Amino acid sequence: MSSTPSPVPGAGPGTSPGDLVWYTDHLLGDPFEEADLGPATLVRYRPGEAAQGGERPPSGNASVTKGAVLHVHGYNDYFFHDHLARAFADAGYAFYAVDLRNAGRSLREGQTPHFVTNLRQQAEDVDAAARAVRRLEPGLPLVVHAHSTGGLTSSLWAHDHRADGDGPDALVLDGPFLELAAPAWQRTIGTWLVEVLGRVWPLGIMSHSPSYYATGQLKANGGRWEFDTTLKRPGGVPARLGWMRAARRAHAEVRRGLAIARPVLVAYSARSGPDNPANPDLDTQDTILDVVQIAARAPGLGRDVTLLSVDGGVHDLALSADGPRTAYLDGVLGWLDEKL
């Protein structure tokens, strides 16, 4: 871990690949680096050894030829998945991640964590990151790997760029937030109330409860992963009315149907269950979203959609136990080999 970022040689502001000033990532340390994207932060994995005072090879791995992956996190989340970076790099991909505005490395003092009033505000961050990666990795196909709310946001972004060639070459959605996991009345009458209240009281708290899913994932609690609990909070992040209004508007677009032009893989756990410490299957189910709803909404994303159900997976399939996590990554990499 590096407490004081060390600058990586680069140029000043501009539009070339060198316009970003890179620093050793202050959360993961070397060989991860971070760069300021305005309201967002771009992270890259650079496993190659650099000469003293020099740059690493362009992608950090001379064998990288298949493509570049950009990871987009979800709500109450940020990029800490060093194992995911290694898995994609070992499979021949340059790896990047973006911490969206008001989240993770991009959260500034005085900001409300994860709060936006339109998901296309965060889609602007996805767009900025995608453009930066394309400049840094010219000629390589771009794969966007997006989780939960990041999957919803990235779907809107890909749809918006369906005709201009600036979207992804392939979109991988890991447990995407395509619909609200709630009773029918909350998805109808409740949505109408959120639409009204979210307009006049956007910062009002709609709900706030602990995330037993995040609690159980933390290594200090017997889980598998280490992460910053101020950026991925076991106590949860309040769902505010303005944010929920934005999410429900995005869900309505998904229900009407999107037209993503490139291949989409929608992956999800085989089962859902309650986010409750009394649930004996807390570590083998999606306890945040309804996987039946994900499967139902997925075909409406575009013309080439593949579904992948992962037995024993959790909400973020990349954080599952070894068996389901391997099955997920094998499924993703096999699909990419076919589609790219």
Side-chain angles (χ1 to χ4, degrees), residues 15-203:
T15 58
S16 68
D19 65 339
L20 297 176
V21 178
W22 293 95
Y23 298 87
T24 300
D25 180 26
H26 75 284
L27 293 178
L28 293 175
D30 190 71
F32 290 89
E33 297 168 357
E34 61 179 294
D36 187 1
L37 276 182
T41 306
L42 188 63
V43 179
R44 66 180 177 181
Y45 179 52
R46 307 276 278 177
E49 290 297 327
Q52 184 68 29
E55 279 272 17
R56 288 184 171 87
S59 297
N61 183 340
S63 67
V64 168
T65 57
K66 290 184 178 180
V69 172
L70 173 63
H71 173 76
V72 185
H73 64 82
Y75 192 78
N76 189 23
D77 213 345
Y78 73 105
F79 173 67
F80 61 90
H81 308 55
D82 56 337
H83 64 286
L84 188 65
R86 290 193 298 271
F88 275 113
D90 288 347
Y93 292 87
F95 184 88
Y96 295 79
V98 59
D99 275 7
L100 304 172
R101 64 187 65 192
N102 305 337
R105 296 164 180 80
S106 306
L107 183 63
R108 310 290 186 247
E109 185 176 355
Q111 291 181 338
T112 303
H114 297 273
F115 180 74
V116 292
T117 55
N118 188 324
L119 291 191
R120 281 185 170 82
Q121 293 171 295
Q122 290 185 325
E124 293 175 4
D125 301 338
V126 176
D127 190 63
R131 290 176 184 275
V133 172
R134 285 194 188 279
R135 293 196 304 270
L136 289 159
E137 307 291 348
L140 291 182
L142 175 66
V143 178
V144 171
H145 176 274
H147 170 58
S148 197
T149 305
L152 177 59
T153 299
S154 297
S155 295
L156 296 180
W157 167 74
H159 169 77
D160 290 346
H161 289 285
R162 61 194 179 277
D164 61 16
D166 290 333
D169 294 292
L171 180 62
V172 178
L173 304 180
D174 171 1
F177 183 31
L178 301 182
E179 182 55 275
L180 186 66
W185 72 267
Q186 289 186 16
R187 289 184 277 116
T188 52
I189 298 173
T191 295
W192 178 82
L193 290 172
V194 164
E195 176 65 29
V196 174
L197 294 174
R199 188 184 308 118
V200 298
W201 191 26
L203 288 173

Side-chain angles (χ1 to χ4, degrees), residues 29 123 126 190 198 212 218 295 299 301 340:
V126 176
Y212 297 107
L218 188 62
L301 293 175
L340 294 183

